[in-house]
Amino acid sequence: MSKNISSYSSFSRFLKYAKPWKGRIYLSSLYSILNKLFDIAPEILIGIAVDLVVQKNDSIIAKLGFESIQSQIIFLAVATFFIWAFESFFQYMYSISWRNLAQTVEHKIRTDAYNHVQKLDVAWFENKKVGDITAKLNDDVNQLERFLDNGFNTIIQLIVSTIAIGAVFFYISPLVASISILPIPIILIIAFFFQKNLSPRYLAVRNAVGVLNNTIFNNLLGISTIKSFVTEKLESKRVEALSTEYRLKNRHAIMLSSAFVPLVRMGVLSGFLGTMIIGSYLALDGTIAVGSYSVLVFLTQRFLWPFTTLGETVDLFERSMASTKRVLDLLDTEHTIKDNQSAIELENYNQDINFDNIQFYYQIDKPLFENLNFSIKKNTLVGIVGQTGAGKTTIIKLILRFYDSILGSIKIGNEDIKNIKLKNLRENIGYVSQDIFMFDGTVIDNIAYPSKNSNLDEVVNAAKQSQAHEFIEKLPNGYNSMIGERGQKLSAGQKQRIAIARALYKNPPILVFDEATSAVDNETELLLQKALNIISKDRTTIVIAHRLSTVRNADNIIVLGQNTIIESGAHDDLTSINGVYKKLWDIQTGKTSLD
């Protein structure tokens, strides 16, 4: 498919998306049409006025029944007043109508795109840049809004003025009309050429700004690392290089788009000269009236001059269609992790979790699990350990259905989790990630998330269980203290404890910790170990741990390695044999060195 066809395809896709607003589009279009009809009427009135002065009692107005000069002038004045009034009224109506429509569509497509992004698979996010996604949801949507705000109206009025003025021309003089419209095919060919060549240039511009936004976004997130490595100048040069690339892409498009108007002006000039010269001869020999000649002269510029704006419109159209393609492609992105038609809501999560013959890989040539089998007994505390890359976190992702296994099944009781509604499954699992995310709000907001009507007693109880209560009380406003964007006012350990409290406030039957104690000090870890014994009562608790001391009191410890489970058992049992767990334990306790 060519780039040119791609733009029209994007426009067609957008019109399908905009079907719910079809009535409003028609109404706005009607306002634009009526405004343009009244807008070109004053030039006709000028010709009628000239005809009145020249023909007097034989003027066009006199033929309507207004015989006296005074009545003709009064009629002309009243007509002029109403024409200008209606032109102004419909200009106001189309302006607010298109603008409100643009804002409505902008709001809808942004929220639809954001909601769709939230549904996409975790695998999709892991292969995308956040800054580019943000650019699509903001900058690209704004480009579309700008086209709806003005572009649609410009195109409609250009078509209306061409048809209406062309009809007047042919009524007065088919010869002059034929000469006047000669530049139009040339102008349209030029417009087609520019549109065809601008399309890929503006798509390159939108992609370039996506890369630039992503780099700035990531740099702001990692500002502490940048400062610690004193790489401010390096990152400034990186952003400058990407900004330069964006500027050059824009300049590449601007060089082409800027040439459009001068070329069209020459076409307008040729049509105007033809009308003026031929019309003058026709008026002088009496073929057309002087008033009609005046109409032709005044309307010629109104007829052809709007085509100079076609360059801006094509430019705006191409920018918006490049952005529309990116947004609609985002909306068309499929997600595989979703409910099947027969999905149920599981009522009882207080059951064993069974992994049956699980096969999984991120890359087909690098299998992570082959025939993985194990069971997590209900109401027990299970630790999962292993070296980096063994698949510890993947176990959690499979339970939460961030990914689905290639083969095999994960069952809660006798129910395959693929047959359970995603919302129901995830609502019943409390998840504490190793990548802690804090919202820009109060401590209460973060612990009670997503509840809007938080229970302070339950918040405090969750904080006490996670060993967060003590430091929260020391904050300036206690539980009502603002913690800043991404919790930047808190230490890593404090954020981790609040994240644990958040999971506990949810009070789920299944609780999952993914390296949840990795950022706490030894004293806090000891407190959390004790808390785990309380937390895990009457619920199934799964702890992914790098620090083996975190899971030493677990009912069962699973050691992952070599694409499967290589050991399992209680801490004392595993340390009594000279296996992998024993070696890891000795290294972490200092009994054995890595040398």
Side-chain angles (χ1 to χ4, degrees):
M1 180 180 291
S2 70
K3 298 294 184 181
N4 179 39
I5 294 175
S6 178
S7 292
Y8 292 116
S9 174
S10 297
F11 185 62
S12 176
R13 290 169 65 193
F14 168 72
L15 289 179
K16 290 180 181 178
Y17 178 82
K19 263 189 175 181
W21 304 284
K22 183 170 63 176
R24 292 177 61 180
I25 292 174
Y26 288 156
L27 184 61
S28 301
S29 301
L30 177 62
Y31 292 146
S32 295
I33 292 169
L34 292 173
N35 166 259
K36 180 50 65 176
L37 292 175
F38 283 107
D39 181 51
I40 63 178
E43 275 74 10
I44 298 175
L45 289 177
I46 292 174
I48 292 174
V50 172
D51 182 68
L52 170 63
V53 173
V54 175
Q55 300 293 339
K56 297 181 181 177
N57 291 331
D58 292 328
S59 68
I60 296 173
I61 299 178
K63 294 176 181 178
L64 296 176
F66 299 92
E67 297 180 357
S68 68
I69 299 296
Q70 184 179 9
S71 65
Q72 291 182 48
I73 293 173
I74 292 173
F75 173 82
L76 189 63
V78 171
T80 301
F81 172 81
F82 278 105
I83 284 172
W84 279 82
F86 280 120
E87 189 274 333
S88 299
F89 172 74
F90 286 116
Q91 181 178 20
Y92 169 75
M93 292 303 297
Y94 86 63
S95 179
I96 62 171
S97 185
W98 281 118
R99 288 182 180 182
N100 287 333
L101 179 62
Q103 292 296 320
T104 299
V105 174
E106 177 189 34
H107 166 74
K108 179 63 175 174
I109 199 168
R110 177 180 286 119
T111 53
D112 281 355
Y114 176 77
N115 291 337
H116 184 73
V117 165
Q118 289 193 119
K119 295 176 183 177
L120 294 177
D121 302 339
V122 171
W124 182 85
F125 285 95
E126 292 176 349
N127 292 300
K128 296 294 178 181
K129 296 177 180 179
V130 175
D132 188 48
I133 299 172
T134 304
K136 291 177 182 178
L137 295 177
N138 287 321
D139 296 345
D140 287 321
V141 172
N142 290 340
Q143 285 286 352
L144 175 59
E145 183 266 337
R146 280 190 281 273
F147 174 71
L148 291 174
D149 194 20
N150 189 48
F152 254 122
N153 172 69
T154 302
I155 292 172
I156 290 170
Q157 293 204 330
L158 179 62
I159 294 171
V160 171
S161 65
T162 301
I163 294 173
I165 296 175
V168 173
F169 273 33
F170 274 101
Y171 175 78
I172 295 173
S173 171
L175 176 61
V176 175
S178 299
I179 294 170
S180 298
I181 66 173
L182 277 178
I184 293 179
I186 299 173
I187 292 172
L188 293 177
I189 291 172
I190 294 172
F192 179 80
F193 169 79
F194 275 81
Q195 187 274 331
K196 180 180 180 180
N197 288 277
L198 277 173
S199 180
R201 297 189 185 197
Y202 279 128
L203 186 58
V205 168
R206 298 315 310 158
N207 290 332
V209 77
V211 175
L212 176 62
N213 284 351
N214 183 70
T215 301
I216 293 174
F217 179 83
N218 285 336
N219 282 5
L220 293 176
L221 286 178
I223 192 66
S224 297
T225 302
I226 292 171
K227 286 181 176 295
S228 68
F229 280 88
V230 199
T231 54
E232 290 91 343
K233 288 186 178 180
L234 175 65
E235 294 304 326
S236 292
K237 289 181 179 179
R238 191 201 305 272
V239 170
E240 182 181 1
L242 291 172
S243 183
T244 300
E245 178 70 13
Y246 172 55
R247 178 176 61 84
L248 292 176
K249 295 288 187 186
N250 255 314
R251 187 168 72 177
H252 189 52
I254 290 169
M255 285 178 64
L256 183 62
S257 65
S258 298
F260 182 86
V261 173
L263 289 173
V264 171
R265 286 171 68 96
M266 298 309 296
V268 171
L269 175 62
S270 64
F272 182 75
L273 286 174
T275 301
M276 185 176 67
I277 293 171
I278 302 300
S280 296
Y281 280 112
L282 293 175
L284 287 171
D285 66 15
T287 304
I288 60 174
V290 175
S292 297
Y293 173 66
S294 301
V295 172
L296 289 176
V297 172
F298 283 114
L299 279 182
T300 299
Q301 188 171 6
R302 294 299 301 274
F303 181 49
L304 295 174
W305 190 254
F307 283 96
T308 61
T309 65
L310 193 59
E312 296 178 7
T313 305
V314 168
D315 187 79
L316 184 61
F317 175 78
E318 285 306 324
R319 285 179 180 270
S320 64
M321 287 305 104
S323 294
T324 299
K325 182 181 186 306
R326 282 162 50 88
V327 177
L328 293 179
D329 283 349
L330 181 63
L331 281 167
D332 288 343
T333 303
E334 293 288 340
H335 55 104
T336 58
I337 310 295
K338 52 189 174 184
D339 293 334
N340 59 46
Q341 293 183 347
S342 59
I344 64 165
E345 290 192 0
L346 186 64
E347 295 182 1
N348 180 20
Y349 279 82
N350 188 26
Q351 302 184 72
D352 296 350
I353 302 173
N354 298 300
F355 283 65
D356 297 327
N357 298 316
I358 296 296
Q359 183 186 98
F360 182 79
Y361 51 76
Y362 293 103
Q363 297 177 335
I364 193 169
D365 58 334
K366 296 180 180 179
L368 184 60
F369 298 132
E370 293 180 345
N371 298 320
L372 181 68
N373 292 277
F374 68 94
S375 179
I376 298 173
K377 298 297 182 183
K378 66 178 183 181
N379 298 332
T380 60
L381 172 59
V382 174
I384 301 178
V385 301
Q387 295 181 339
T388 301
K392 301 185 296 296
T393 298
T394 301
I395 294 288
I396 305 306
K397 290 180 178 180
L398 291 173
I399 292 175
L400 285 162
R401 285 199 72 200
F402 290 167
Y403 286 87
D404 277 338
S405 60
I406 309 301
L407 294 174
S409 64
I410 301 172
K411 295 180 179 179
I412 298 177
N414 295 318
E415 198 65 57
D416 192 323
I417 61 172
K418 292 179 182 178
N419 296 326
I420 301 173
K421 290 184 178 180
L422 275 173
K423 185 174 184 292
N424 177 251
L425 174 70
R426 292 171 183 171
E427 279 179 342
N428 285 278
I429 299 176
Y431 176 49
V432 183
S433 170
Q434 56 184 314
D435 300 318
I436 303 301
F437 181 77
M438 294 284 111
F439 300 92
D440 186 12
T442 66
V443 173
I444 292 178
D445 293 336
N446 276 274
I447 293 178
Y449 176 81
S451 174
K452 293 182 179 180
N453 301 313
S454 56
N455 185 308
L456 182 58
D457 290 337
E458 292 180 6
V459 168
V460 171
N461 183 54
K464 287 179 177 178
Q465 288 185 343
S466 68
Q467 311 302 313
H469 177 69
E470 185 176 347
F471 85 78
I472 292 173
E473 283 197 314
K474 294 178 181 178
L475 295 175
N477 295 308
Y479 281 84
N480 290 310
S481 298
M482 298 294 293
I483 65 172
E485 188 178 12
R486 302 186 310 278
Q488 58 189 359
K489 295 182 180 180
L490 303 176
S491 69
Q494 289 173 333
K495 286 191 287 187
Q496 209 153 28
R497 280 178 275 173
I498 286 181
I500 294 171
R502 179 193 297 162
L504 293 175
Y505 182 84
K506 187 179 178 181
N507 194 29
I510 300 173
L511 193 57
V512 175
F513 295 92
D514 186 4
E515 302 282 10
T517 61
S518 60
V520 299
D521 54 40
N522 291 331
E523 182 180 355
T524 305
E525 184 194 6
L526 180 61
L527 293 172
L528 285 175
Q529 288 177 29
K530 294 179 180 178
L532 276 175
N533 295 326
I534 301 172
I535 292 169
S536 60
K537 286 183 178 179
D538 300 323
R539 64 160 58 94
T540 304
T541 307
I542 306 169
V543 181
I544 306 295
H546 177 70
R547 292 180 181 179
L548 302 186
S549 54
T550 304
V551 295
R552 66 174 299 172
N553 295 320
D555 297 301
N556 187 34
I557 300 171
I558 296 171
V559 184
L560 292 177
Q562 301 173 7
N563 305 329
T564 186
I565 295 174
I566 52 178
E567 294 174 2
S568 67
H571 171 79
D572 291 340
D573 295 333
L574 292 174
T575 53
S576 66
I577 59 175
N578 191 26
V580 173
Y581 184 86
K582 174 68 162 55
K583 292 177 181 177
L584 292 174
W585 178 257
D586 289 345
I587 291 170
Q588 291 193 17
T589 55
K591 294 180 181 179
T592 302
S593 67
L594 291 172
D595 297 334

